[in-house]
Amino acid sequence: MTICTDSTPSLISPNIHSQQWEHPPVKLGILASGNGSNFEAIAQAIADKKLNAQIQVLIYNNPNAYAAKRANNWGVPTVLLNHRQYQQREELDRNIVATLEKYDTDLVIMAGWMRLVTPVLIDAFTDKIVNIHPSLLPSFKGIKAVEQALSTGVKITGCTVHLVCLEMDSGPILMQAAVPVLPDDTLATLHARIQIEEHRILPMAIALLVR
Ligand code: GRF
């Protein structure tokens, strides 16, 4: 199991150009609960040859998740694991692990995955699970990160790509991007600007890890 440590923010902005790859692509299993714009950003980065990876499977937990439609458009296999059909989180995670293994996954990406993880998943993919969170961690953990940024009145927020450990939104930080909070920002406008940065740094952070 990954031990949670205090994470030290690091601002890294590598310039990743299109290139020929020396190694086989890393095999990604992506977990998403909703819209899937981060899934799309990863798929596009692969298509643009900015990321040496291959998406093996999209696992989604909400039957109406638009992420599944996006995966279909990219020809990526999808598996619905509806959390409502499992009594315990561990049971859901056992099915996630079995699916990721079936699709021969090297690296797991939580791209808007709105479920808490258990040791079942963490132990099966130790230090191989990446999450994107819409705040500059360790500020504003949890599901209402953008709301928290607005209500506390911070002038800068952003997004964080980090490794996942058992404690929510607390694993080692891989990459962050800052986003200013504007005086007339609403939840929608601020989140939209944060997402522009998410789509930029999530593929970039995966590319760094893969290297
Ligand atoms: C993103 O803002 C991400 O940071 C958070 O959930 C949202 C998912 O967006 N964890 P999308 O489904 O990728 O569009």
Side-chain angles (χ1 to χ4, degrees):
M1 184 191 309
T2 300
I3 306 295
C4 290
T5 52
D6 278 352
S7 39
T8 311
S10 60
L11 279 162
I12 312 166
S13 291
N15 195 6
I16 294 174
H17 299 290
S18 297
Q19 51 191 283
Q20 296 288 355
W21 309 112
E22 290 172 18
H23 303 290
V26 67
K27 290 176 269 184
L28 305 179
I30 300 188
L31 275 55
S33 296
N35 179 27
S37 66
N38 281 287
F39 169 92
E40 188 86 27
I42 294 167
Q44 192 61 56
I46 294 170
D48 293 344
K49 300 204 182 323
K50 292 176 178 167
L51 173 59
N52 183 18
Q54 180 173 303
I55 306 175
Q56 302 290 97
V57 63
L58 171 81
I59 297 175
Y60 64 109
N61 64 312
N62 288 319
N64 297 327
Y66 190 65
K69 172 95 170 80
R70 295 180 191 268
N72 289 336
N73 291 343
W74 283 96
V76 170
T78 58
V79 175
L80 171 63
L81 295 177
N82 189 335
H83 62 277
R84 298 161 191 87
Q85 291 171 355
Y86 302 98
Q87 300 271 338
Q88 294 176 327
R89 292 184 192 282
E90 287 77 4
E91 209 184 330
L92 171 64
D93 278 3
R94 268 191 288 279
N95 281 275
I96 292 173
V97 170
T99 305
L100 292 169
E101 286 174 348
K102 177 178 164 197
Y103 283 89
D104 197 18
T105 302
D106 300 321
L107 189 64
V108 183
I109 312 297
M110 293 182 168
W113 180 248
M114 309 308 264
R115 308 300 305 164
L116 291 176
V117 293
T118 72
V120 172
L121 180 53
I122 300 285
D123 289 349
F125 287 90
T126 305
D127 293 334
K128 290 180 181 165
I129 309 176
V130 172
N131 184 45
I132 176 83
H133 183 77
S135 77
L136 291 175
L137 291 173
S139 293
F140 311 139
K141 297 177 180 180
I143 52 169
K144 300 213 164 167
V146 185
E147 288 93 325
Q148 290 178 65
L150 278 175
S151 64
T152 54
V154 294
K155 301 300 177 202
I156 295 176
T157 184
C159 52
T160 302
V161 182
H162 65 96
L163 291 179
V164 173
C165 65
L166 212 43
E167 195 185 325
M168 184 183 59
D169 300 328
S170 297
I173 290 172
L174 300 174
M175 198 174 284
Q176 294 185 302
V179 174
V181 182
L182 304 179
D184 56 352
D185 256 335
T186 62
L187 181 59
T189 59
L190 181 55
H191 195 197
R193 288 205 318 287
I194 290 172
Q195 287 225 284
I196 291 170
E197 293 304 307
E198 291 184 345
H199 302 158
R200 190 174 65 83
I201 70 167
L202 179 56
M204 213 184 264
I206 297 168
L208 260 190
L209 256 189
V210 166
R211 280 196 215 159

